[in-house]
């Protein structure tokens, strides 16, 4: 069946089966490889993307057809190159990654978390990211990165007060 | 793995869903949050030939409190409960569960009613449903019926929802001001099913004796269980240490767990009693009361 996916502000007409999982439509039909696949059991979170600007979802646990009519944001939509999003910059500066496999999802999940809670405590961050597994870092620097990004992202608002 | 092929339909009302289910028979299923169904389909444990997606059913997305009852529709997600001020202030047990069920991403998709319909023997919501004396409204082509928690929860992965039916609303009695509750869960890590868990809800009389007690336990049998004997021991009594021990023993007595990577059968049987005891103590603490000597 032909469906239209709105990803990072762009429309993609893709031909999928009803059983096609969103993560495969993103990777194979839209050519966006930022959402990874790490498990078969919906438990690792490395496929996390954001729906409608603030809802994190495991794109391996949703059918592509179900994403029709929603705005999907993937890591590619946050920024890149010289235009890094504060979260991307913070993960880089705080060494919030080692192998990087979990990183796009970790950032998308953090992005959603900061939409709901712009000033999270360390505990809020650890709780909020607890659906995303990282096998390398031990999470310390991930938490620091999210704290830095949260502060960066609040700054314009605080400067305005 | 990829799920097996199926035909996909969107239902915009309960009537439409029920009619689609009726048309396609036993191999058709409702798709709610998909957080249990899609993993099961990926493992080919489930191979429905027709899915009826209810996610766009706007009218089913409500949480309303009136006349001493909370009514929740079929597309309300765990995260809606987790972030609701109403739930946080008036529904302690529900609030506790919505903090610990699955993981935060899964909670943005998984629905309360979907969890209850799935009825995993280690699921968190079935135990809470039993303790809170909640009900479910089930709809079929002829109309609706109401079933209480004890009738709703039938067997492992089996509920009172029959072929061609949809669960459309769950009703939770509004706890009185003298009600304290607590959900106690042991899990190996976030997002894991319980090793064992207990849901406790206690309503007290002015003199501190127990007016009504609800206790549900999960992950310790083929299905979530209501600890009816323990509830009966509490009713009308002041809560003492010895009474708590006796109630906990009733929970352990009922438990018939299987050994797995989460623990031995002996351990789970023992610990579910401890969780019931902790649940009773925290329920009292939340009411500003202490256990009598
Ligand atoms: C990583 C992970 C960890 C998890 N951890 C836990 C945990 O710790 N504790 C826990 O309790 N659960 C856990 N779950 C399960 C999760 O909470 C599911 O969301 C929930 O069990 C099912 O809700 P759903 O809305 O996703 O239902 P779905 O997966 O869409 O449906 C589940 C079943 O119910 C049926 N159904 C759904 N809605 C209706 C309806 N309205 N009427 C009739 N039938 C219906 C479906 O046909 C299907 O058979 C976990 C899931 C994952 C992926
Ligand atoms: S790939 Fe592991 S949760 Fe999606
Ligand atoms: S950086 Fe390797 S899994 Fe997280």
């Amino acid at each position: 069946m032909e469906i239209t996916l709105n990803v990072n502000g762009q429309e993609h007409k893709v031909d999928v089966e009803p059983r096609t999982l969103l993560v495969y439509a993103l990777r194979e039909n839209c050519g966006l490889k930022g959402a990874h696949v790490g498990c078969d059991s919906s438990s690792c979170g490395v496929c996390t993307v954001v729906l409608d600007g603030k809802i994190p979802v495991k794109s391996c646990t949703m059918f592509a057809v179900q994403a029709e009519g929603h705005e999907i944001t993937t890591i590619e939509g946050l920024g890149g190159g010289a235009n890094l999003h504060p979260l991307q910059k913070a993960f880089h500066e705080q060494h919030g990654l080692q192998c990087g496999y979990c990183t796009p999802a970790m950032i998308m999940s953090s992005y959603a978390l900061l939409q709901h809670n712009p000033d999270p405590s360390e505990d809020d961050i650890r709780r909020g990211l607890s659906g995303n597994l990282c096998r390398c870092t031990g999470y310390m620097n991930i938490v620091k990165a999210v704290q830095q990004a949260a502060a960066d992202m609040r700054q314009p608002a605080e400067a305005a007060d | 793995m990829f799920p097996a092929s199926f035909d996909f339909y969107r239902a915009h009302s309960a009537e439409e869903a029920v009619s689609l289910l009726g048309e396609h028979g036993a191999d058709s299923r409702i798709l709610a949050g998909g957080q249990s169904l899609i993993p099961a389909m990926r493992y080919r444990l489930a191979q429905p030939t027709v899915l009826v997606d209810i996610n766009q059913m706007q009218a089913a997305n409500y949480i309303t409190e009136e006349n001493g009852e909370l009514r929740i529709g079929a597309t309300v997600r765990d995260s809606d409960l987790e972030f609701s001020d109403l739930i946080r202030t008036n529904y302690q047990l529900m609030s506790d569960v919505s903090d610990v069920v699955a993981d935060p991403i899964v909670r943005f998709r998984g629905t309360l009613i979907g969890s209850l319909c799935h009825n995993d023997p280690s699921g968190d919501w079935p135990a809470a449903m039993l303790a809170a004396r909640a009900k479910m409204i089930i709809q079929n082509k002829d109309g609706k019926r109401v079933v209480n928690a004890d009738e709703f929860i039938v067997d492992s992965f089996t509920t009172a929802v029959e072929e061609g039916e949809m669960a459309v609303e769950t009703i939770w009695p509004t706890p009185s001001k003298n009600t304290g509750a607590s959900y106690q869960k042991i899990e190996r890590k976030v997002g894991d099913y319980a090793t064992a868990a207990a849901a406790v809800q206690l309503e007290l009389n002015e003199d501190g004796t127990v007016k009504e007690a609800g206790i549900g336990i999960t992950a310790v049998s083929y299905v979530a269980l209501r600890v009816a004997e323990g509830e009966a021991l509490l009713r009308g009594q002041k809560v003492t240490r010895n009474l708590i021990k006796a109630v906990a023993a009733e929970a352990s007595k009922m438990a018939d767990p299987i050994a797995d990577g989460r623990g031995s059968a002996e351990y789970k049987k023992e610990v579910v009693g401890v969780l019931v005891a902790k649940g009773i103590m925290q329920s009292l603490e939340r009411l500003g009361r202490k256990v009598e000597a």
Side-chain angles (χ1 to χ4, degrees):
Chain A
M1 60 198 291
E2 181 150 292
I3 60 167
T4 304
L5 294 179
N6 179 336
V7 193
N8 304 327
Q10 274 193 334
E11 298 217 326
H12 295 257
K13 280 205 193 320
V14 297
D15 192 18
V16 297
E17 290 184 66
R19 64 172 170 163
T20 307
L21 299 164
L22 177 59
V23 67
Y24 293 108
L26 292 172
R27 292 177 59 84
E28 287 161 21
N29 300 75
C30 304
L32 297 165
K33 306 275 168 124
H36 296 164
V37 177
C39 73
D40 255 340
S41 53
S42 302
S43 38
C44 73
V46 302
C47 57
T48 307
V49 300
V50 170
L51 282 197
D52 300 325
K54 56 178 203 287
I55 311 288
V57 295
K58 295 183 181 179
S59 61
C60 75
T61 315
M62 178 169 185
F63 296 111
V65 293
Q66 296 188 282
E68 255 195 316
H70 293 281
E71 287 170 23
I72 305 158
T73 312
T74 68
I75 188 74
E76 291 89 346
L78 275 198
N83 261 328
L84 290 185
H85 184 274
L87 273 163
Q88 293 169 315
K89 187 166 158 276
F91 270 71
H92 176 73
E93 289 173 3
Q94 296 293 339
H95 306 286
L97 62 147
Q98 287 177 21
C99 79
Y101 201 72
C102 69
T103 313
M106 212 45 104
I107 291 182
M108 295 319 292
S109 211
S110 306
Y111 179 82
L113 171 69
L114 295 180
Q115 303 303 309
H116 293 271
N117 182 357
D119 191 7
S121 64
E122 174 174 346
D123 200 48
D124 293 337
I125 296 172
R126 288 186 179 274
R127 252 183 62 83
L129 296 185
S130 57
N132 294 85
L133 301 185
C134 175
R135 286 277 146 120
C136 303
T137 65
Y139 302 100
M140 292 284 289
N141 291 351
I142 292 177
V143 174
K144 280 192 212 153
V146 179
Q147 284 169 322
Q148 175 184 320
D152 275 3
M153 288 164 70
R154 282 197 313 273
Q155 223 165 23
E158 275 167 14
D161 305 331
Chain B
M1 228 161 64
F2 295 104
S5 298
F6 57 86
D7 291 330
F8 179 79
Y9 294 90
R10 289 192 177 96
H12 298 88
S13 66
E15 288 68 28
E16 195 183 351
V18 165
S19 130
L20 282 163
L21 293 173
E23 203 176 305
H24 296 285
D27 285 339
S28 60
R29 294 263 197 116
I30 297 233
L31 174 61
Q35 302 302 296
S36 291
L37 185 53
I38 297 177
M41 288 173 69
R42 288 176 76 187
Y43 282 119
R44 306 272 171 121
L45 294 170
Q47 302 197 15
T49 54
V50 169
L51 286 188
V52 178
D53 187 3
I54 61 169
N55 283 283
Q56 58 295 322
M57 204 180 274
Q58 287 301 332
N61 190 15
Y62 59 88
I63 304 177
T64 51
E65 185 185 50
E66 52 180 22
N67 304 327
E69 287 177 335
L70 182 75
R71 293 174 173 267
I72 296 181
T75 59
V76 172
R77 307 193 193 268
D78 291 330
S79 59
D80 296 327
L81 303 171
E82 183 183 1
F83 297 119
S84 156
D85 290 334
L86 173 68
I87 304 300
R88 198 149 295 275
T89 43
N90 293 356
Y91 298 86
Q92 187 76 65
L93 185 56
M94 206 174 231
S95 172
D96 274 13
V97 176
S98 70
D99 273 349
V100 297
V101 60
D103 69 43
I105 311 176
V106 170
R107 291 199 288 269
F108 272 102
R109 220 52 218 148
T111 64
L112 165 58
I113 290 189
S115 230
L116 291 171
C117 288
H118 187 60
N119 197 23
D120 191 297
S122 301
D124 296 302
W125 286 118
M129 182 189 202
L130 289 167
R133 302 277 191 289
K135 290 179 257 181
M136 187 73 86
I137 301 189
I138 301 173
Q139 185 165 339
N140 60 30
K141 63 177 176 19
D142 301 320
K144 295 180 187 176
R145 66 201 151 88
V146 187
V147 294
N148 64 36
D150 297 284
E151 296 164 297
F152 181 78
I153 293 169
V154 175
D155 203 340
S156 300
F157 303 107
T158 307
T159 68
V161 178
E162 306 270 354
E163 195 183 314
E165 296 191 323
M166 171 175 167
V168 291
E169 182 176 278
T170 181
I171 306 177
W172 293 56
T174 306
S176 71
K177 290 281 166 258
N178 281 330
T179 304
S182 168
Y183 191 64
Q184 298 283 334
K185 175 180 182 179
I186 294 186
E187 56 184 3
R188 290 178 302 185
K189 61 173 193 59
V190 169
D192 195 21
Y193 279 91
T195 301
V200 175
Q201 183 163 298
L202 290 184
E203 181 176 15
L204 301 185
N205 293 307
E206 288 305 327
D207 65 0
T209 56
V210 175
K211 186 169 175 194
E212 194 46 85
I215 305 174
I217 53 178
T218 191
V220 289
S221 189
Y222 64 95
V223 71
L225 302 172
R226 190 156 69 81
V227 188
E229 303 287 337
E231 293 173 354
L233 287 178
L234 283 163
R235 237 169 258 135
Q237 303 300 314
K238 275 233 179 337
V239 184
T240 61
R241 283 187 185 283
N242 282 338
L243 181 56
I244 293 178
K245 276 190 195 150
V247 176
E250 288 297 338
S252 291
K253 199 164 94 193
M254 285 184 85
D256 182 21
I258 46 165
D260 61 13
R262 297 182 178 88
S264 65
E266 294 84 349
Y267 167 72
K268 293 182 188 181
K269 204 169 163 64
E270 175 85 23
V271 86
V272 76
V274 175
L275 294 174
V276 166
K278 286 176 77 175
I280 295 172
M281 289 190 281
Q282 186 171 52
S283 299
L284 289 176
E285 271 163 31
R286 284 172 162 174
L287 286 170
R289 302 241 181 198
K290 286 225 167 62
V291 180
E292 314 255 330

